[in-house]
Amino acid sequence: MPKMQERPRLLLVAPYVDEPAMLQALSQGLNVEVRTELFRTSRSVAASTWRRHWNIFRSAWAAFKQRNHVGYIVFGEQFIGLYYALLTRLLGRGESGGPRTIVLQLIYNRRPGWKGKVYRALYAWLIRSPALTRLACAASIERRYYVEEFGAVVADKLVFIPFGRNSPLDTDDPRGLAITSAESPFFFAGGTSNRDYKTLIEAFRGLPAELQIACYPSDVVNLDMPPNVAILHGVFDDEFKRKVRDCTAMIIPIKNTDVSAGQLVLLDAMRLGKTCIVTAGGCMEDYVDDKSAICVPAGDSDAIRQAVLDLISDPRLAIELGDAARLRYEKSNTRAAFGRAVAASLKV
């Protein structure tokens, strides 16, 4: 009897354990056997730039050693892919004709001075490597930004893939959807990347509502806090998710809407059926519209203030927007939907 041909293999390299739904979507979409290369990053390691990058480099090296035995590699963090590209550049083997690869997700921010110029040149050299087949952006506007920044040579590599978070919550489970607010209603904002907390804090000055912000001290340094704004430090993981669950609405004020920021927090809130007040622009509006969130102009404290007042005066509005956000999430932003989109991008 003829020997049965083995399916190609896909290697997923990431600092997290992915959902079975993501692995299944990759396997079915590409007809491959999925293997994972997991590396853990503790909070102490994450706090040290050098230790974190050493861990990431080790995972890139593991992928590099396996490249001749797999048909696809999915990098679950961008620096894994960048270090992989560096290894293929330096060692000069397997740059072309190797496995098809994708980086999830590309995030580049300009840096000032001569260090910024060096960083940009190195970044461009790595993402142009033939070892990287696809570079995924979590916001549609980012693709245009990166083409302008790095040239048409990367245009064919860049793909917009809406991020996928987790499986839908079980609405029959009493621990599932949290559509009731806490005993002391509050609005909640959190995160540190590309946030405009100055505008948000000003919006709450004098409002008959409480705002809680979970962030690092550097995010709100030298800002004058009104008495109805509480700054929380050290709120992570389950405690952060409880804040999202219990708040009246989530507010995500973005400073620069040309780059990705805030999508993970937004998707967690959508999954819970929470109303969100977000900064208008591609960064957020790839995920919500005016039927599933309240979108306000960037840097407009008056618009945020009016949105808060509207939700206070009309509790039904919060429920309707939250329900629409949850349904939108379940259709387009689950981990399974993300896996199908990643697989499709690698086929082309």
Side-chain angles (χ1 to χ4, degrees), residues 10 34-35 45 53 59 73 82 85 98 109 133 144 152 163 168 171-172 208 212 222 224 227 237 324 329 332:
L10 179 147
V34 177
R35 296 186 176 183
V45 170
H53 277 271
S59 68
I73 304 178
L82 295 179
N109 287 300
T133 312
R144 297 192 294 271
F163 201 77
T171 56
D172 295 327
Q212 297 182 16
N222 297 327
D224 179 30
D237 303 329
Y329 175 92
S332 305

Side-chain angles (χ1 to χ4, degrees), residues 269-344:
M270 293 171 65
R271 181 172 180 253
L272 284 164
K274 284 292 175 181
T275 296
C276 292
I277 301 171
V278 304
T279 303
C283 185
M284 294 278 101
E285 290 181 341
D286 285 323
Y287 296 84
V288 291
D289 55 16
D290 58 4
K291 295 181 176 61
S292 54
I294 300 176
C295 301
V296 299
D300 192 335
S301 58
D302 289 338
I304 296 176
R305 180 191 302 268
Q306 187 58 56
V308 170
L309 291 173
D310 289 344
L311 292 174
I312 292 173
S313 63
D314 186 3
R316 184 65 197 172
L317 175 62
I319 295 174
E320 291 174 353
L321 289 171
D323 285 346
R326 177 177 57 80
L327 292 174
R328 188 178 174 108
Y329 175 92
E330 292 174 358
K331 179 181 178 181
S332 305
N333 300 114
T334 62
R335 202 62 180 164
F338 184 63
R340 290 191 292 270
V342 170

Side-chain angles (χ1 to χ4, degrees), residues 30 67 70-75 81-82 84-85 88-89 94-104 106 126-137 143 152-161 342-348:
L30 293 167
R67 73 196 186 285
V70 297
Y72 304 90
I73 304 178
V74 175
F75 300 108
L82 295 179
Y84 176 85
T88 60
R89 289 281 202 190
E95 273 212 356
S96 59
R100 293 182 66 79
T101 63
I102 185 168
V103 175
L104 309 175
L106 205 66
L126 292 175
I127 65 173
R128 289 169 179 165
S129 165
L132 301 181
T133 312
R134 294 285 180 264
L135 307 168
C137 306
R143 189 183 181 282
V153 67
V154 300
D156 289 341
K157 293 172 176 272
L158 292 164
V159 290
F160 164 54
I161 302 179
V342 170
S345 73
L346 283 171
K347 276 185 177 179
V348 180

Side-chain angles (χ1 to χ4, degrees), residues 161-174:
I161 302 179
F163 201 77
R165 193 69 165 139
N166 299 105
S167 296
L169 287 171
D170 183 357
T171 56
D172 295 327
D173 187 335

Side-chain angles (χ1 to χ4, degrees), residues 18-331:
D18 219 315
E19 280 197 359
M22 170 73 167
L23 305 183
Q24 185 177 15
L26 290 172
S27 177
Q28 293 178 345
L30 293 167
N31 190 26
V32 293
E33 173 192 343
V34 177
R35 296 186 176 183
T36 59
E37 183 72 38
L38 174 68
F39 69 99
R40 296 286 190 179
T41 302
S42 65
R43 191 164 294 158
S44 62
V45 170
S48 168
T49 300
W50 292 110
R51 290 177 65 192
R52 180 169 63 88
H53 277 271
W54 173 243
N55 265 13
I56 293 172
F57 180 81
R58 287 170 59 194
S59 68
W61 174 249
F64 179 76
K65 290 192 299 182
Q66 298 179 59
R67 73 196 186 285
N68 293 328
H69 306 288
V70 297
Y72 304 90
I73 304 178
V74 175
F75 300 108
E77 199 273 0
Q78 77 159 345
F79 282 104
I80 311 173
L82 295 179
Y83 281 131
Y84 176 85
L86 177 64
L87 287 167
T88 60
R89 289 281 202 190
L90 295 180
L91 299 182
R93 298 197 304 269
E95 273 212 356
S96 59
R100 293 182 66 79
T101 63
I102 185 168
V103 175
L104 309 175
Q105 69 201 56
L106 205 66
I107 300 179
Y108 171 81
N109 287 300
R110 293 189 183 100
R111 299 182 181 183
W114 68 267
K115 290 183 179 180
K117 293 179 180 179
V118 172
Y119 177 70
R120 182 190 179 281
L122 179 60
Y123 199 96
W125 182 61
L126 292 175
I127 65 173
R128 289 169 179 165
S129 165
L132 301 181
T133 312
R134 294 285 180 264
L135 307 168
C137 306
S140 59
I141 197 171
E142 274 188 320
R143 189 183 181 282
R144 297 192 294 271
Y145 165 62
Y146 291 137
V147 170
E148 292 173 1
E149 188 72 19
F150 299 112
V153 67
V154 300
D156 289 341
K157 293 172 176 272
L158 292 164
V159 290
F160 164 54
I161 302 179
F163 201 77
R165 193 69 165 139
N166 299 105
S167 296
L169 287 171
D170 183 357
T171 56
D172 295 327
D173 187 335
R175 297 168 299 175
L177 296 180
I179 59 173
T180 58
S181 299
E183 291 183 5
S184 300
F186 65 96
F187 290 78
F188 182 56
T192 187
S193 174
N194 194 21
R195 300 299 201 272
D196 183 9
Y197 288 135
K198 181 178 180 180
T199 296
L200 176 59
I201 291 167
E202 190 58 36
F204 269 79
R205 195 175 302 278
L207 273 182
E210 178 187 356
L211 171 66
Q212 297 182 16
I213 302 176
C215 62
Y216 290 113
S218 57
D219 296 322
V220 291
V221 67
N222 297 327
L223 295 182
D224 179 30
M225 299 296 165
N228 60 331
V229 176
I231 303 300
L232 312 174
H233 301 312
V235 177
F236 300 105
D237 303 329
D238 289 343
E239 186 178 358
F240 190 96
K241 291 178 181 177
R242 282 194 292 271
K243 289 290 184 182
V244 177
R245 179 196 66 193
D246 292 339
C247 69
T248 299
M250 190 83 199
I251 307 179
I252 308 175
I254 301 300
K255 187 176 296 183
N256 178 7
T257 60
D258 288 343
V259 295
S260 284
Q263 288 102 335
L264 297 184
V265 174
L266 174 64
L267 291 175
D268 281 344
M270 293 171 65
R271 181 172 180 253
L272 284 164
K274 284 292 175 181
T275 296
C276 292
I277 301 171
V278 304
T279 303
C283 185
M284 294 278 101
E285 290 181 341
D286 285 323
Y287 296 84
V288 291
D289 55 16
D290 58 4
K291 295 181 176 61
S292 54
I294 300 176
C295 301
V296 299
D300 192 335
S301 58
D302 289 338
I304 296 176
R305 180 191 302 268
Q306 187 58 56
V308 170
L309 291 173
D310 289 344
L311 292 174
I312 292 173
S313 63
D314 186 3
R316 184 65 197 172
L317 175 62
I319 295 174
E320 291 174 353
L321 289 171
D323 285 346
R326 177 177 57 80
L327 292 174
R328 188 178 174 108
Y329 175 92
E330 292 174 358
K331 179 181 178 181

